[in-house]
Amino acid sequence: MLSKRMEDALNRQINEELYSAYLYQAMSAWAEAENYKGAAKWMAAQAKEEVEHAAKFYNFILERGGKVKLLAIKQPPSEWKSLLEIFEAAYEHEKHITKCINDLYELATRERDYSTQVFLHWFIEEQVEEEAQTLEIAELLRRAGDSTNAILMIDAKLGARE
Ligand code: OFO
């Protein structure tokens, strides 16, 4: 059985994950409108993954006999100046999510909630990848600078994501 505190914190994480999906979908829409088709596809795939993350928390709460509470999702931004700005913002956001997961783990440890700790291991590993990939793309874009050719090559590479 989940404690009320743990249940509330896990419900807040569903909201964080759904906000991530919303944010990345907004970034995808911006990229599509700017004709960065590869980045649009990459961000849409990322948004889909975030919905899956939310579903993992949702199912876990129910499995543990808890109550799922869906909270209001805040509005994400809709304007960015460049592809670089988008991936820098995505990296910053992933660092924030890592902190959320770490805080959840800390709470589960304090509460001696071992099943939540084990459940969170997947997310702890996932965050290493989530931060690394957004940082890598941001760094490539930083190196590309104002070169349209280089940016379009990165965009094409992003479009190869399944
Ligand atoms: Fe991007 O990992 Fe979930 O939020």
Side-chain angles (χ1 to χ4, degrees):
M1 189 74 189
L2 286 171
S3 74
K4 178 79 178 91
R5 240 176 127 195
M6 199 71 243
E7 181 185 283
D8 287 347
L10 291 167
N11 271 312
R12 278 197 299 278
Q13 192 59 30
I14 293 181
N15 188 263
E16 290 281 356
E17 300 295 340
L18 290 177
Y19 176 75
S20 302
Y22 233 37
L23 175 66
Y24 296 144
Q25 198 63 54
M27 288 173 168
S28 176
W30 180 90
E32 188 76 46
E34 296 289 322
N35 269 317
Y36 293 126
K37 301 280 183 200
K41 188 178 167 201
W42 195 97
M43 278 298 173
Q46 192 63 26
K48 224 170 131 198
E49 268 194 18
E50 299 299 355
V51 175
E52 285 164 17
H53 293 173
K56 280 183 193 282
F57 281 99
Y58 177 106
N59 290 329
F60 180 71
I61 293 171
L62 291 177
E63 245 173 33
R64 298 281 311 280
K67 204 166 176 187
V68 167
K69 202 165 167 189
L70 295 177
L71 309 167
I73 304 167
K74 72 173 189 245
Q75 184 179 346
S78 54
E79 290 299 332
W80 291 272
K81 286 194 200 77
S82 63
L83 218 46
L84 171 62
E85 198 178 86
I86 277 195
F87 279 93
E88 279 176 341
Y91 174 55
E92 287 309 313
H93 181 69
E94 287 303 334
K95 285 200 289 186
H96 161 73
I97 295 295
T98 301
K99 188 184 175 308
C100 294
I101 299 290
N102 290 346
D103 289 348
L104 280 174
Y105 197 86
E106 212 178 291
L107 179 62
T109 307
R110 256 188 282 130
E111 299 212 338
R112 306 182 78 189
D113 180 342
Y114 301 112
S115 16
T116 301
Q117 288 174 41
V118 171
F119 166 74
L120 289 170
H121 285 166
W122 185 89
F123 284 93
I124 291 169
E125 276 177 34
E126 175 72 3
Q127 280 314 114
V128 175
E129 190 193 314
E130 299 271 285
E131 280 191 33
Q133 63 184 3
T134 44
L135 179 62
E136 186 193 328
I137 300 164
E139 274 172 357
L140 285 175
L141 287 163
R142 219 168 286 138
R143 244 181 279 164
D146 290 333
S147 160
T148 308
N149 275 352
I151 295 171
L152 290 178
M153 268 173 68
I154 295 168
D155 186 55
K157 194 179 158 221
L158 293 176
R161 179 176 179 170
E162 291 305 318

